[in-house]
Amino acid sequence: MFAKILIANRGEIACRVICTARKMGVRTVAVYSDADAKALHVKMADEAVSIGSSPVGESYLRGDKIVAAALATGAEAIHPGYGFLSENPDFVDLVVAAGLTFIGPSAASIRAMGLKDAAKRLMEKAGVPVVPGYHGEAQEIVLLASKAREIGYPVLIKARAGGGGKGMRRVEHPEDFSEALSGARREAKAAFGDDRVLVEKYVDKPRHVEVQVFGDNFGNAVHLYERDCSAQRRHQKVIEEAPAPGMTLALREAMTEAAVKAAKAISYSGAGTIEFIVDASQGLKADRFWFMEMNTRLQVEHPVTEMVTGTDLVEWQLRVAAGEKLPKTQSEITLSGHAFEARIYAEDAAKGFLPATGTLHHLAFPDNAPEGASMRIETGVRAGDAISPFYDPMIAKLVIHAKDRQAALDALGTALSQTEIAGSTVNTAFLAALAANADFSAGDVDTGLIGRHQEALTAVAPPSSEIVAAAALAAAGAGALPPSNDPWSSLAGYAHFHSVARRTRLRHGEDDILARVSVRPDGRFEVALDAPYDSVNSHDLRAAPRLARWPGHVTVFEGAVGYSFLVPDPLARTDEAAAASGSLRAPMPGVVKLVRAAKGERVIKGQPLLILEAMKMEHTIAASHDGVIAEIATEGAQVTDGTVLVRFVEEAASRLEA
C-alpha cells in the first residue's frame, strides 16, 4: 500500500478521499489555489501545496504543477477525484512518466471512452446496445441537420467530449437546429476545448440509470449494481438513488451484464460508471436500454452505491492502484436497503437554478440521522467559508440509507428539514419539494420530471406573520444571541406605566416591512405588523423559532425553507437617481460570451440581449421590458455579481428620440 498520496482536487471529494486514506494509514497531500488557501481539505490533509491563482486554468488544471507537488512532497500516487483532470489521458501520461501511480484507469482506457462518438462505435463492436443517432466525425452543419431529419425530431445535440449537461441541447423542430447547434458548440468549446458534437434520437420518457463497475489489473471486472440519476435539472443530477425504483430482475441482469462487458472491452482497471438511457414509456424492459457514455472515474453519487453494498469505493481504488486484486468477487457483492443522495447547492431554484455565491455565515446539518436510517454528510466547507465563483457551487451531499425506499425517502425529507444554511441562496427547499413530489415518491421518475413540475417545485410560500414576527424580534434584539439561545431575552426591559415600542424595518425580497416590537406588562412581546401581515404576540409563536443572525440579516428556518430578511442600516442611503433608470445586472460573476443587441437599438420584452457564461454554463440575459439600449456590455467582458450589463434610455428621453 502507498505511504503517501496527493489528491489533485478540492472540496468535498478531496475531503472524502482524505477520510479513507486516513483510515488506511496513508498520508495525504492537498493542493490548493489562492481561493482555497484556508479550505477544509487543506486543513484536513497532512501536507498542502499551493499550485496557483484561483481560476482553474491556473491551478487545478495545471498538471505540471500537480506532478511537481507530488514529487516535492514524496507522494507515490495521485488521486484525481472527479472533474478537473480526472479523465484527462494526457495528465495520466504525465503522472506515469514522472514515476508516479495514477489512482484510476490507464490513459488508453480513458482515451477509448473519452469521446462519446468513438466510445459508442466501440460499444457497438462489443455488442453493447447504443442510442440510435449520428456518431461520425464530419461536423458540417448541413450534414448534422440532415442526420437530425433522418433520426426524427426531437433530437439531442451532445458535446462528444465531457459531460455534466454542458454542450447539450434538445431540439424539437428543424428550424431551431442551427441556433441550438451554435449554443451547444460554444458551451462545449468553453467547457472541454472541443466543439464537436453528436446527434441522437431523444427518448420520450428517458430514465438515466447507470451501473457502477470496477476492474483490476488481473483481468477481473465486477458490477456493484445500479443507480438511478433521472432526477435532473438542466441535464445535471439533483437526487440520486440506489437501487433504481421499479427495476426488474431481467433488466438488471441485462444492464449489469452489458456494463461488465463494456469494462472488459477496454481492459478497465479502477472505478468506472457505465451510463445508460432507458425508455420508460412502457415500463422497464430488458430490450429498451442503450449505452450513453462511460465515466472513467469515481462519480459524485458513489456514496449511494457504498451505502447499499457496504463497500468503500475509494479504498478499492487505492488497493487496485497499489497492485492488489479486487477485494470481492461478484457473488460476494449484495444489495441491502435503499439509499438517496441529495446535492445541496448554492443556487436560486426559482431563477432557473442560477448558481449563487456568498459567505456561509450559518451552516448546520442534523446532529443525528432520522430514526431508522443512517446518514452521511459529505462536504468540503464549514461555517464562515465563501462560495467562490471560480468553482462548482456544491455545498454538501446529504446521503441517507434505510431498510426500503419509502423509509429512506421519509428520512431524506426529515434531514433536509433540519438543515440550516444562511448567507447564500440554497436549494434545500427545492430538494425537499422534490422528495415530497407525488411522482417522485411513487418512483415514477424520468429526466423530464423536474421540468414538468418546476414551477411547483421551486415555488416558496411567502413568510407567515409568525415568521416575520420572529425575524423582527431577532432584529430588534441587541448584540448576538444570548447564551441561553433565547432570542427574546435581550429585549426585556422596564417601562413605567406603558410599554415602549421599538421600530424595526425589514426587507424580504421586494417587500419592505415595518414592525413595532413592544414589551407587554407580563413580560411577553407584541409585534405589530402592517398589512398583509397580522400582529403577533410572542406566546402565539408555535415553537421557539430556528433562526440565524448574520451581518445585516436575519434568517428564520421553517422546515427546509430559510426566509432571509435584510435589516437595513438606518444610516445607509440609496442612490435614487441610479435606481430611477432601468438596467439589467449580472445575476452572478461570469464572462459575456455573445452580444445580440447594440447601443441605440429598440428592443422588446423577452428579447435575448446577450449570453453570460458562468461556471461553464450559458445563461441568456433577456430584456425585462420594451425600451432603447443606452449601453451594453462588450463581448469577452469579465463581470461580477451585480455588474450592469445593459442600461436602457430613460423613458422620457426615449419618447423624445422617437
Side-chain angles (χ1 to χ4, degrees), residues 539-610:
H539 65 278
D540 292 332
L541 296 177
R542 289 185 292 274
R546 298 154 50 215
L547 56 85
R549 293 174 60 181
W550 45 289
H553 296 78
V554 172
T555 298
V556 182
F557 301 99
E558 185 172 58
V561 182
Y563 292 98
S564 289
F565 298 84
L566 173 67
V567 184
D569 181 349
L571 299 179
R573 295 182 135 185
T574 59
D575 188 341
E576 297 295 338
S581 61
S583 61
L584 293 175
R585 297 178 181 272
M588 71 197 83
V591 178
V592 177
K593 293 296 291 184
L594 185 67
V595 176
R596 293 181 168 179
K599 180 178 179 180
E601 182 177 342
R602 183 175 293 278
V603 297
I604 61 173
K605 182 178 180 180
Q607 179 178 334
L609 303 181
L610 54 82

Side-chain angles (χ1 to χ4, degrees), residues 214-225:
F214 223 106
D216 62 21
N217 295 309
F218 300 91
N220 302 307
V222 298
H223 69 81
L224 289 92
Y225 299 95

Side-chain angles (χ1 to χ4, degrees), residues 191-273:
F192 317 118
D194 185 343
D195 66 356
R196 286 170 288 184
V197 301
L198 48 86
V199 183
E200 294 180 342
K201 177 66 179 174
Y202 184 83
V203 179
D204 288 331
K205 191 176 181 181
R207 288 269 297 271
H208 181 135
V209 182
E210 58 190 34
V211 176
Q212 176 73 58
V213 293
F214 223 106
D216 62 21
N217 295 309
F218 300 91
N220 302 307
V222 298
H223 69 81
L224 289 92
Y225 299 95
E226 81 282 353
R227 300 184 287 257
D228 193 298
C229 307
S230 301
Q232 301 179 7
R233 88 284 189 275
R234 300 178 68 171
H235 305 295
Q236 293 185 315
K237 301 167 187 176
V238 176
I239 295 181
E240 303 99 337
E241 59 181 302
M247 176 60 70
T248 65
L249 181 60
L251 178 57
R252 177 174 287 149
E253 288 180 347
M255 190 177 286
T256 54
E257 179 183 353
V260 173
K261 187 184 297 184
K264 288 186 174 181
I266 57 173
S267 302
Y268 195 78
S269 176
T273 297

Side-chain angles (χ1 to χ4, degrees), residues 11-82:
E12 58 87 18
I13 185 56
C15 296
R16 164 74 186 86
V17 175
I18 290 170
C19 288
T20 287
R22 183 181 295 161
K23 180 183 68 175
M24 297 175 68
V26 177
R27 292 179 60 81
T28 55
V29 179
V31 293
Y32 62 92
S33 68
D34 290 349
D36 281 339
K38 296 182 180 180
L40 181 59
H41 75 280
V42 174
K43 180 180 179 181
M44 289 179 62
D46 296 297
E47 301 173 57
V49 179
S50 171
I51 53 170
S53 57
S54 302
V56 294
E58 299 171 20
S59 51
Y60 295 108
L61 293 181
R62 288 292 302 271
D64 56 339
K65 290 187 176 183
I66 291 170
V67 169
L71 294 173
T73 56
E76 303 159 78
I78 294 179
H79 193 300
Y82 52 70

Side-chain angles (χ1 to χ4, degrees), residues 233 236 238 343-350 352-357 393 395 424-428 430-431:
R233 88 284 189 275
Q236 293 185 315
V238 176
R343 302 189 186 191
I344 300 175
Y345 275 96
E347 65 180 13
D348 193 336
F353 303 101
L354 284 177
T357 56
I395 294 172
S424 177
T425 303
V426 295
N427 68 339
T428 49
F430 162 72
L431 293 172

Side-chain angles (χ1 to χ4, degrees), residues 6 235 252 301 381 386-387 478 512 617:
L6 180 142
H235 305 295
R252 177 174 287 149
E301 60 272 20
V381 296
I387 301 299
D512 286 306
M617 296 290 283

Side-chain angles (χ1 to χ4, degrees), residues 328-360:
K328 290 184 179 181
T329 63
Q330 190 65 69
S331 62
E332 294 174 315
I333 303 170
T334 58
L335 278 175
S336 176
H338 202 97
F340 285 97
E341 174 183 288
R343 302 189 186 191
I344 300 175
Y345 275 96
E347 65 180 13
D348 193 336
K351 293 183 178 178
F353 303 101
L354 284 177
T357 56
T359 299
L360 301 175

